[in-house]
Amino acid sequence: MVQRIEPQPGQESVWDYPRPPRVESSEKRIRVVFNGQTIADSQRTVRILETSHPPVYYIPLEDVRQEFLVPVQRTTFCEWKGVAQYFDLVVGDRRVNHAVWRYPQPTERFAAIQDCVAVYPSQMEACYVDDEQVQAQTGDFYGGWITSDIVGPFKGGAGTWGW
């Protein structure tokens, strides 16, 4: 049995997030840095909230330096959002494979993320929510952003697949 961490004032528990996931606009400043370059900077993001997962932020393409995104053949399927398309991120002499994804034709419920991308914080130099550097969700499957106002425990690490 997973022990939910009780949130303190101003915190959210991922165990209070719904399933199926909820789409929510955010005005917090989201920044992504890779190889010394700010590749995204936005205060018009959308976050996806799902039980046991830290939020994933989707950044409008207009707020992303798209010249660093290289489309690749990889796709995955989400039962809620549909088919995801992936990009490698190339900045200068550094490349990280499949680090960025988007849903070019998301399901109706997730239409708000259609013209947005998400990144794996674990593969970036740094990601920020306002001025707080995020901690990446453990594991390679999820792309959650952990900040001091989010409590778990979080799915994604070893032994959590069956929660």
Side-chain angles (χ1 to χ4, degrees):
M1 185 89 184
V2 177
Q3 289 290 331
R4 174 184 185 269
I5 297 171
E6 192 62 34
Q8 299 301 308
Q11 291 183 316
E12 301 173 353
S13 169
V14 297
W15 292 96
D16 294 334
Y17 293 163
R19 186 164 174 87
R22 179 173 73 232
V23 178
E24 182 179 275
S25 294
S26 175
E27 294 180 0
K28 291 185 177 187
R29 183 176 182 203
I30 301 301
R31 288 182 296 133
V32 178
V33 178
F34 181 75
N35 202 20
Q37 294 287 322
T38 298
I39 64 161
D41 191 340
S42 183
Q43 288 183 279
R44 307 177 300 129
T45 61
V46 176
R47 62 184 202 152
I48 303 293
L49 308 176
E50 180 176 1
T51 305
S52 77
H53 302 283
V56 174
Y57 285 88
Y58 285 79
I59 307 162
L61 281 167
E62 296 84 16
D63 297 338
V64 175
R65 299 205 33 210
Q66 296 177 54
E67 69 268 24
F68 297 137
L69 305 181
V70 178
V72 295
Q73 294 298 312
R74 181 174 192 227
T75 61
T76 57
F77 178 76
C78 171
E79 65 183 309
W80 311 113
K81 297 179 283 297
V83 177
Q85 163 191 36
Y86 287 78
F87 301 85
D88 288 355
L89 181 62
V90 181
V91 178
D93 62 348
R94 291 193 53 211
R95 178 185 202 108
V96 61
N97 296 328
H98 311 141
V100 181
W101 73 94
R102 71 178 293 235
Y103 290 89
Q105 297 177 328
T107 60
E108 185 176 330
R109 180 182 192 142
F110 292 91
I113 65 171
Q114 182 165 3
D115 295 318
C116 300
V117 295
V119 303
Y120 288 105
S122 63
Q123 297 181 5
M124 301 298 112
E125 184 175 314
C127 296
Y128 298 90
V129 175
D130 287 331
D131 290 325
E132 181 181 355
Q133 186 169 349
V134 307
Q135 176 186 347
Q137 182 176 8
T138 303
D140 295 329
F141 188 74
Y142 307 106
W145 294 43
I146 301 171
T147 54
S148 59
D149 58 351
I150 308 294
V151 296
F154 309 110
K155 192 172 186 176
T160 65
W161 189 256
W163 286 2

